[in-house]
Amino acid sequence: MTVFGFHASHEQIHPAKLLAAVIHAERAGFDAAMSSDHFSPWSARQGQSGFAWSWLGAALQATNLPFGVVNAPGQRYHPAIIAQAIGTLGAMYPGRFWAALGTGEASNEHITGDGWPRKDVRNARLRECVDVIRALLAGEEVSHDGLVRVDRAKLWTRPERPPALIGAAVSVATARWCAEWADGLITVNAPADHLRQMIDAYRDAGGRGPLHLQAHVSWAPDQAEAEAIAYDQWRSNVFAPPVCWDLEMTEHFDAVSADVPLEKVASTVHVSADLGRHVGWLEEYLALGFDQIALHHVGQEQRAFIDTFGAEVLPKLRTPA
């Protein structure tokens, strides 16, 4: 049966409020949670960006939910540090933690002052990071000289079983590439045909493990309110790669999204006051075979969404047709 999770969006919500929200989501019937990992928000209107790894320890302690995080090792984070973070959470909360690894966005990584590499270089850097992280989680001492450098690193605290390393992808080509190294695949909502091509590419290339989806939704009791929430909070997030990968500052995203029409936002976020429509959208993803779907209500206030979806949407999705 598909697991339905709550997405914790650090870019939009103060970490204390986000912790209260994920505790409430567990009580409301959500099965799991996942977390973003940003240094800055996508828009000044979002206005937050807490440190995910501090928060994850608190959230795992405060709930019984399994958690994942989407991380980009290689520039802002040294892979040995990410291996240590994964290993510590895995040791403290066995079987409850996974990490999705991707190539990242300049909006988070530019803070190091290093240049932002081409996508092919970022892919190669990520592949090196994955190998370093896996070797460290396996207990090896690692030295490596390449796009990332490691000198005689060893993890002294490790879980008995290494947490899954999931591949993050938004294109068919990247999904196929992730099959070489990942323990599963994660992507975001997109047209069903595109998602089916990604899944087929991943599986046909030998990709193993679960399929994860992050689904952006905007719900309110009133349609105009649902639209206003999505437009205010998510219109800076409608741009396809490479734009979303390469812009550096919140003011850049706010400038390019100043005249984005609502229809463009609605092509990225499922916007509706009608819970039946949300059920229908999510049923399409169920039919594609996703093992976990994390729901991201793009508003900053989460409680009404959690209560309503927990009571009226998730039960319908869990009931066989």
Side-chain angles (χ1 to χ4, degrees):
M1 182 176 291
T2 299
V3 170
F4 291 96
F6 171 80
H7 176 72
S9 180
H10 286 280
E11 311 92 283
Q12 299 177 270
I13 303 169
H14 188 282
K17 290 183 64 177
L18 203 54
L19 182 60
V22 78
I23 292 169
H24 190 63
E26 180 179 33
R27 294 171 179 164
F30 285 76
D31 307 309
M34 64 172 286
S35 168
S36 60
D37 180 5
H38 281 243
F39 192 83
S40 64
W42 302 95
S43 166
R45 293 181 306 279
Q46 294 174 346
Q48 297 288 336
S49 206
F51 185 54
W53 294 91
S54 301
W55 184 88
L56 281 163
L60 282 156
Q61 182 64 28
T63 70
N64 292 305
L65 298 173
F67 272 80
V69 66
V70 183
N71 175 261
Q75 186 158 329
R76 179 171 45 124
Y77 291 115
H78 191 279
I81 298 300
I82 292 304
Q84 186 183 32
I86 292 170
T88 297
L89 291 178
M92 292 180 69
Y93 305 102
R96 289 179 55 201
F97 182 67
W98 52 268
L101 304 178
T103 56
E105 298 100 8
S107 61
N108 300 308
E109 310 306 324
H110 77 88
I111 62 167
T112 65
D114 297 325
W116 181 234
R118 299 186 312 271
K119 183 61 165 70
D120 61 318
V121 177
R122 301 200 304 271
N123 281 358
R125 181 173 68 181
L126 175 59
R127 190 68 180 83
E128 290 183 19
C129 289
V130 169
D131 290 344
V132 167
I133 292 168
R134 284 202 188 280
L136 288 168
L137 289 172
E140 299 176 22
E141 181 180 282
V142 177
S143 293
H144 178 82
D145 293 291
L147 293 168
V148 293
R149 299 182 65 191
V150 186
D151 178 44
R152 294 166 293 178
K154 180 179 178 179
L155 291 187
W156 293 89
T157 298
R158 297 183 295 112
E160 291 186 10
R161 184 173 182 178
L165 302 181
I166 307 296
V170 294
S171 72
V172 174
T174 301
R176 185 179 299 110
W177 174 72
C178 286
E180 298 175 10
W181 58 266
D183 299 319
L185 184 72
I186 187 168
T187 190
V188 296
N189 58 274
D193 286 347
H194 178 73
L195 293 174
R196 187 176 296 108
Q197 290 176 41
M198 288 185 65
I199 293 168
D200 289 346
Y202 180 72
R203 294 300 193 204
D204 290 347
R208 63 186 184 274
L211 302 172
H212 293 253
L213 179 74
Q214 180 187 352
H216 303 302
V217 306
S218 182
W219 173 85
D222 176 75
Q223 180 67 24
E225 183 183 358
E227 292 173 354
I229 289 169
Y231 192 73
D232 177 72
Q233 285 292 294
W234 217 246
R235 69 177 181 269
S236 56
N237 296 62
V238 301
F239 304 103
V243 174
C244 60
W245 291 339
D246 293 345
L247 293 184
E248 293 180 342
M249 305 297 291
T250 53
E251 52 261 39
H252 297 163
F253 282 96
D254 283 336
V256 299
S257 63
D259 298 316
V260 166
L262 176 64
E263 293 75 17
K264 180 68 173 176
V265 180
S267 71
T268 303
V269 181
H270 294 310
V271 183
S272 184
D274 183 348
L275 293 174
R277 292 197 70 192
H278 286 285
V279 170
W281 283 320
L282 293 169
E283 284 177 337
E284 291 184 10
Y285 301 138
L286 287 177
L288 289 170
F290 283 99
D291 300 287
Q292 181 165 318
I293 300 174
L295 303 183
H296 172 209
H297 172 53
V298 300
Q300 292 179 306
E301 298 299 324
Q302 296 288 312
R303 193 175 187 90
F305 156 75
I306 290 169
D307 286 337
T308 302
F309 273 59
E312 301 186 45
V313 173
L314 298 189
K316 291 182 172 63
L317 296 169
R318 291 175 177 136
T319 303

